[in-house]
Amino acid sequence: MKSICPFCGVGCGLELMAVNNIVVGVKPVPEHVVSRGHLCGKGSVAHEALTAWDRLYYPLKKVKGELERASWEDSIKYTIESIKNIQKKYGKDSVAFYGGCQNSLEEVYLLQKLARALGTNNVDSCARVCHDPSAKALKEIVGVGAGSNSATEIPKAKVVVVAGESVTDSHPVLIQYFLEAKEKGTKIILIDPRNTRFASFADLHLKIKPRSDIFLFNAVANYLIQNNMIKPDFIAARTEGYEKYKENVSKYTLELAVEQTGLAEKDIIEFAKYISEDKVIFSWGLGLTESTGTKGIKSYLSLPLLTGNMGKEGAGVIVYRGQTNVQGSGDLIKPDVFPNGEMNEANSEALSRIWGFKPPVNKGSSIIDTFYGSKNIKALFIMGYNPVRSLPDRKKVKEFLGSLELLVVQDIFMTDTARYADIVLPAAAWAEKEGSVASLDRLVKWRFKAVDPPGMARPDYEILSDLAKAAGYNFNSNPKELFEELKTAAPLYSHLNIDDVMDYSKDSRYPNGELHLYGEKFSTKSGKAQFIPVDSEKHNDGLILVTGRTVTRYNSDEVINRVPGMQEYNPTLWINPSDAKNLGIENEDMVKLASKSGELDIIAKITDDVIPGVVFTYMHNPKINDIVSPEFDDETKTPKYKYTPVTVTK
């Protein structure tokens, strides 16, 4: 059976080989339009965790402090009755529904629909903690909260800028396009404070100080404007807000950029010259979204507008998203936006004609609002998401979960979060059900069911449908029919054809199958892209911890840790030699890494691969979120995982 890899947002095509209801092997799908017969190391062992030792086989209910086996009927009934009792006592918004980004489009659609049927907009996904700044900035500036260009267009560009991303570690299958691009003479610009594996591809590597990106982008914009290296015809015909933006960036001089970024002036000028060409792709990863956040993305997005690098083949923006359906989850499940657009009476009425009930219009509570300070949420439903492992300042997360009157966790494993639950519902894994997922370049593809789920585990869409039925609503649980319903409720997906989605050789991209968007107009209300001026404060916080990925692990390591042979993991802390000398630390010393949130002991690795003032470790270390500070993006509340002031002592 064909399927889509459960790891990063590239969404590679897999062929699953099953014997006696067990997936025993994986092959790449040659005709898949993006992966083209390639798989990375993680994808090649994607099936191994399906038979993990701690898969959930039956529902569990907490009795006298211990989780005990329960029936499906009792678990569904108890969950809905408890939610309704809590809502009767504290109000409709005392419950929240949060889903992960490994679920299908149909499942996250159903989750937010169930929440709204129960009278609350307290819905969100873990897209909140990664690329929500990207989605918000893109939505405001060009109209759609997704990348404008397909990754397959990388070889068509003359220049590709990669900011805050090691493609070789995070999205290895895309390296085929960079290799092809290099053969054609494409220049690669990397903006990253460390020497990643991907740095060997770079013609120019800007080793920027963390959180100084806005100083760089604004100064480069000012330089382009002052030296007539912009596209005035494009700006006049296709954008708005230029004069105000121009005035704002005029104060960002090269001298200021050098001072704040730590870069050489000649390198900043070289960067400006590279991007003034035609056919430039601007791409970025979590290094940008989880440090300077929404403002940083807005500043970055002004560069393709200044240079006219939008709406063309090989010219536009690409977002390196980290999970299979994080793009889809971010599109469909938000506390302040309906699937059909703005949260207003007109859209609520439109949804009522599809759903048979009218969703509330008041803005809901995001994951961050809820976990860090909300006193209103008394019941929490979590699907395919493990906040105890993945959110920063773990102590606060645990304290919040302990304060709840009801926690329901629907997952495939007994996760750290599930251990706090009152009800645990066993879900089918990706290969044990069907449904669609949206990749990082708007490609929507179907996963076909290869095997049955183990024990009494069930697909999420069936569980959600049964919960809705217990609450008095009739929800469809057929994935294909749900796909068609989703299209009517979410205009962004309305032109997709399910036959094309099921055919891995077809470019089934939303909104209308385009490899690149905005050829004639942008998707904003005016049809023009928006220049949005932003500013940045100066930062001088001493030693800064940055986290990132390595190719052999994945995110918080919840899945890879269950692949046989992958359990051993010994993280190190990368320290620049000059910092190590000042701290009296030698290679392989045990050091104490501490922040205002917590501390951990870790082995030092002295290396020039990080710049002075920066220490680095992999995000896969299960203890690292004890250290990461709970500082959040002003606009989206996304945690700043890539910027934590720390101390390091021997």
Side-chain angles (χ1 to χ4, degrees), residues 66-226:
E66 297 293 330
L67 288 169
E68 297 182 358
R69 183 169 180 167
S71 69
W72 269 112
E73 184 180 7
D74 179 51
S75 300
I76 296 290
K77 182 180 178 183
Y78 181 84
T79 296
I80 292 300
E81 285 183 353
S82 298
I83 287 173
K84 287 192 169 182
N85 287 336
I86 288 169
Q87 287 182 311
K88 188 175 180 180
K89 185 176 179 182
Y90 300 104
K92 295 286 189 182
D93 287 327
S94 59
V95 60
F97 291 76
Y98 299 143
C101 299
Q102 293 289 322
N103 294 93
S104 67
L105 287 168
E106 294 75 22
E107 288 165 343
V108 295
Y109 168 75
L110 267 190
L111 182 69
Q112 62 81 34
K113 183 180 174 182
L114 174 62
R116 285 162 170 148
L118 291 167
T120 183
N121 286 316
N122 294 339
V123 298
D124 208 357
S125 76
C126 60
R128 173 74 49 193
V129 302
C130 56
H131 272 293
D132 217 44
S134 303
K136 183 171 177 57
L138 284 161
K139 180 79 173 172
E140 288 185 30
I141 291 174
V142 293
V144 175
S148 65
N149 290 58
S150 166
T152 61
E153 291 192 355
I154 288 170
K156 305 288 178 65
K158 289 183 180 178
V159 177
V160 180
V161 185
V162 180
E165 162 78 10
S166 176
V167 183
T168 44
D169 289 297
S170 301
H171 301 82
V173 167
L174 295 186
I175 288 300
Q176 62 180 303
Y177 294 107
F178 284 94
L179 288 169
E180 193 177 324
K182 292 291 285 185
E183 288 174 2
K184 293 181 177 181
T186 301
K187 301 299 181 183
I188 310 296
I189 316 301
L190 176 63
I191 305 172
D192 200 302
R194 66 187 182 100
N195 277 328
T196 61
R197 290 182 177 92
F198 185 71
S200 62
F201 283 78
D203 296 277
L204 175 64
H205 182 183
L206 301 175
K207 296 181 182 179
I208 193 170
K209 290 180 183 177
R211 210 165 164 181
S212 65
D213 310 86
I214 293 172
F215 289 99
L216 172 64
F217 302 146
N218 282 1
V220 165
N222 188 26
Y223 182 86
L224 292 170
I225 293 167
Q226 296 301 321

Side-chain angles (χ1 to χ4, degrees), residues 287-559:
L288 192 53
T289 62
E290 293 178 346
S291 59
T292 46
T294 309
K295 286 183 178 179
I297 308 297
K298 288 177 180 178
S299 177
Y300 190 43
L301 287 174
S302 295
L303 300 180
L305 299 185
L306 282 174
T307 57
N309 278 300
M310 288 290 276
K312 295 180 284 190
E313 182 182 69
V317 298
I318 294 173
V319 187
Y320 300 110
R321 287 190 170 259
Q323 295 193 63
T324 311
N325 195 41
V326 65
Q327 180 65 58
S329 295
D331 290 334
L332 295 177
I333 181 166
K334 288 186 182 298
D336 56 349
V337 180
F338 286 141
N340 62 344
E342 292 180 18
M343 191 171 282
N344 56 37
E345 286 292 340
N347 283 337
S348 178
E349 286 287 350
L351 287 172
S352 73
R353 293 191 288 274
I354 300 167
W355 292 347
F357 64 87
K358 188 172 180 291
V361 179
N362 58 301
K363 180 183 174 183
S365 179
S366 74
I367 287 171
I368 302 304
D369 292 329
T370 293
F371 275 85
Y372 300 89
S374 175
K375 301 290 192 294
N376 302 322
I377 306 298
K378 304 296 181 183
L380 188 59
F381 188 101
I382 294 180
M383 178 179 77
Y385 178 43
N386 187 10
V388 171
R389 186 93 164 204
S390 60
L391 285 179
D393 203 347
R394 192 174 283 131
K395 183 180 177 182
K396 283 189 178 179
V397 174
K398 291 178 179 179
E399 285 174 356
F400 169 71
L401 292 179
S403 74
L404 294 169
E405 293 187 18
L406 176 71
L407 174 61
V408 181
V409 174
Q410 186 169 302
D411 214 316
I412 63 175
F413 302 128
M414 178 54 71
T415 63
D416 296 339
T417 304
R419 297 183 191 282
Y420 286 81
D422 301 287
I423 292 286
V424 180
L425 304 176
W430 57 281
E432 301 158 358
K433 57 187 178 182
E434 60 178 324
S436 58
V437 292
S439 70
L440 65 84
D441 56 357
R442 299 174 284 105
L443 184 73
V444 178
K445 285 295 167 214
W446 197 263
R447 281 176 170 157
F448 297 89
K449 179 182 174 182
V451 292
D452 292 324
M456 296 170 67
R458 301 173 63 200
D460 295 88
Y461 45 79
E462 288 185 7
I463 302 171
L464 293 169
S465 179
D466 278 358
L467 287 164
K469 186 176 181 180
Y473 297 91
N474 185 22
F475 282 15
N476 201 323
S477 61
N478 181 302
K480 296 181 183 69
E481 292 174 7
L482 277 171
F483 179 81
E484 298 302 329
E485 180 187 327
L486 182 159
K487 285 166 55 181
T488 66
L492 198 60
Y493 290 79
S494 62
H495 292 128
L496 290 169
N497 179 289
I498 195 166
D499 292 331
D500 290 345
V501 168
M502 290 181 170
D503 185 342
Y504 286 18
S505 68
K506 295 285 182 67
D507 277 309
S508 50
R509 287 179 169 82
Y510 71 79
N512 297 297
E514 308 97 328
L515 283 174
H516 53 270
L517 301 176
Y518 316 127
E520 295 180 3
K521 66 177 184 176
F522 291 93
S523 298
T524 56
K525 287 182 180 179
S526 67
K528 294 185 176 184
Q530 306 296 304
F531 278 102
I532 301 177
V534 296
D535 289 306
S536 179
E537 297 175 1
K538 296 180 180 180
H539 299 282
N540 185 18
D541 296 320
L543 209 56
I544 301 301
L545 170 68
V546 173
T547 64
R549 293 184 170 106
T550 185
V551 68
T552 57
R553 317 302 297 193
Y554 178 69
N555 286 5
S556 64
D557 236 18
E558 196 66 73
V559 177

Side-chain angles (χ1 to χ4, degrees), residues 219-230 254 269 272-273:
V220 165
N222 188 26
Y223 182 86
L224 292 170
I225 293 167
Q226 296 301 321
N227 290 276
N228 299 314
M229 297 163 69
I230 59 175
L254 289 176
I269 292 173
K273 289 178 178 177

